[in-house]
Amino acid sequence: MRVTQLITAGLVGTFALIGSATAQNAFNDADKAVEYRQKALSVMQNNFSAMGDMVKGDVAWDSAVFTARAADFAAMSSIPWSGFETEGAKPGSNTDALPAIWENWSDFQERAEQLESDAQALLSAAQGGDEAAMKRSFMAAARNCKGCHDQYKD
């Protein structure tokens, strides 16, 4: 009985390690990694644009919609970055990512982490219901987005 428990525990541990190693590199090839990051960033951009339209006054302010978009933006904010780490997923004909990303990798990672932080702050402001705080948090995230795009996107 004790031997069976030890074998079972060993197998569970082995499969957990295999599963986590596989999950870290879930892309079949570089093109899939590029597609993954582009789609994730596209979803983020769609949510951010909806909030931006409200901030600019192009559409009527709706706190519930703003909060929903902020929640989706925050949920997505950690998603795209692994698509930049896959070998071969660097600039090419199918991406606007500039070589500067990989030349300045630590700066790019810091900006990604800051965006995640900005997205969480935006969500917190939205959940607080103060329109002015939402707009301030949106603008902070927008500055970070623009700075990264200016340096790292063609």
Side-chain angles (χ1 to χ4, degrees):
M1 185 68 154
R2 180 93 171 125
V3 171
T4 303
Q5 290 174 332
L6 288 173
I7 291 171
T8 301
L11 288 173
V12 168
T14 300
F15 286 124
L17 287 174
I18 291 170
S20 67
T22 302
Q24 290 175 5
N25 298 305
F27 303 110
N28 296 331
D29 59 40
D31 288 337
K32 290 292 182 187
V34 171
E35 179 182 12
Y36 174 87
R37 73 184 188 222
Q38 288 173 336
K39 286 181 177 181
L41 289 165
S42 178
V43 170
M44 290 173 65
Q45 188 272 332
N46 288 334
N47 283 285
F48 205 70
S49 290
M51 291 183 286
D53 288 344
M54 284 186 243
V55 168
K56 293 183 287 187
D58 292 345
V59 298
W61 186 266
D62 185 326
S63 290
V65 171
F66 191 96
T67 301
R69 299 293 60 88
D72 289 348
F73 183 75
M76 293 296 297
S77 68
S78 65
I79 302 294
W81 316 121
S82 63
F84 289 91
E85 297 173 351
T86 299
E87 187 65 33
K90 296 181 180 177
S93 60
N94 62 344
T95 176
D96 292 333
L98 294 173
I101 290 172
W102 295 274
E103 294 164 2
N104 302 299
W105 184 248
S106 62
D107 179 64
F108 182 76
Q109 285 181 310
E110 287 174 20
R111 289 172 184 264
E113 290 169 8
Q114 183 60 51
L115 181 63
E116 291 177 46
S117 177
D118 290 346
Q120 291 304 317
L122 178 59
L123 176 57
S124 292
Q127 290 170 333
D130 179 345
E131 185 177 330
M134 290 184 234
K135 289 178 178 180
R136 281 191 305 276
S137 292
F138 176 87
M139 293 309 295
R143 281 188 295 278
N144 189 6
C145 289
K146 182 180 179 338
C148 199
H149 285 199
D150 287 350
Q151 188 164 351
Y152 297 121
K153 184 178 180 196
D154 191 11

